[in-house]
Amino acid sequence: MDKPGPRVDLGAIWLPVLPGLELRMEIEKKTQKVTGVTAALGGSSLQLQAFAAPKSSGIWDEIRAEIADSVARQGGSVDDVPGVFGRELLVHMPATAPDGSARTRPARFIGVDGPRWFVRGVLAGKAALDKEAARALESVFANVVVVRDENPRPPRDLLTLTLPRQKSAAAEVDTTTDTAATRPEAADFNPLRRGPEITQIG
């Protein structure tokens, strides 16, 4: 594996830096807890969340089934298809266009099971349907570093994300505070079996 390049330290997720990549931290208003991060690039976006998972088995199979059921209940369509990272969901949700006409909003749900953690990504915009448009954000997802602490956590417990600490010239971060992005120096990480560039420390 190539030596990992610069990354933005977001706590449980270290996100690769790309020129023009804009990051938006998702913060729950009541608790002020960071619940996710969205990376936007060229009319596409990738939402990322990391969760605790059991040692013995992954949770992506059951989560995919639950997402598919939820989409169907909301009147959307979903296909469980093979993808770059294994099985993924191609979803079309009902939506309303600016002119009031009915339309659908596509999205791709991707996931990777790791040792005691799970990472889920949602590709939207051009990347949901256009393979070329998806390549850059797929690379971001493939090169995520997961930092899993040793604390016991129930399966599906959201791993702690934090606001980035310093400004990086290579990434812009849109948050409600003055904190911005950092580019941590990456150490040597071990590749996983699935999603060969996704690695973990901790």
Side-chain angles (χ1 to χ4, degrees):
M1 186 175 80
D2 294 337
K3 184 178 179 181
R7 285 172 169 79
V8 179
D9 180 356
L10 304 174
I13 291 176
W14 286 19
L15 202 65
V17 172
L18 292 179
L21 192 71
E22 297 180 5
L23 304 184
R24 294 189 297 273
M25 306 304 295
E26 299 169 19
I27 303 174
E28 191 177 77
K29 289 183 179 180
K30 288 184 179 180
T31 63
Q32 290 299 297
K33 182 179 180 181
V34 181
T35 58
V37 57
T38 297
L41 182 68
S44 299
S45 65
L46 169 66
Q47 183 206 52
L48 284 165
Q49 291 179 302
F51 303 86
K55 277 185 177 181
S56 57
S57 62
I59 59 176
W60 180 218
D61 287 345
E62 61 187 59
I63 287 178
R64 277 204 328 279
E66 291 170 8
I67 293 171
D69 184 59
S70 176
V71 168
R73 288 200 309 270
Q74 296 176 64
S77 65
V78 57
D79 292 306
D80 191 319
V81 297
V84 176
F85 304 99
R87 303 300 299 186
E88 64 179 55
L89 295 179
L90 179 57
V91 168
H92 288 83
M93 292 297 294
T96 303
D99 62 3
S101 62
R103 53 171 289 187
T104 60
R105 187 173 65 249
R108 282 174 58 199
F109 286 78
I110 56 180
V112 168
D113 288 306
R116 300 175 62 236
W117 55 261
F118 165 72
V119 175
R120 188 194 71 183
V122 184
L123 288 160
K126 293 179 182 178
L129 297 176
D130 187 323
K131 290 183 179 180
E132 287 300 319
R135 287 183 190 276
L137 289 177
E138 286 175 347
S139 175
V140 169
F141 186 78
N143 286 281
V144 160
V145 171
V146 177
V147 182
R148 169 69 162 93
D149 59 33
E150 292 303 316
N151 297 332
R153 295 176 181 270
R156 305 192 187 203
D157 190 30
L158 196 63
L159 298 184
T160 303
L161 294 178
T162 58
L163 294 172
R165 298 177 185 84
Q166 298 175 358
K167 182 72 176 177
S168 165
E172 299 177 10
V173 176
D174 176 16
T175 68
T176 56
T177 72
D178 292 333
T179 54
T182 184
R183 295 174 61 179
E185 289 299 321
D188 291 328
F189 305 114
N190 295 321
L192 300 178
R193 293 176 185 172
R194 290 185 59 190
E197 299 300 324
I198 295 181
T199 55
Q200 94 173 97
I201 61 175

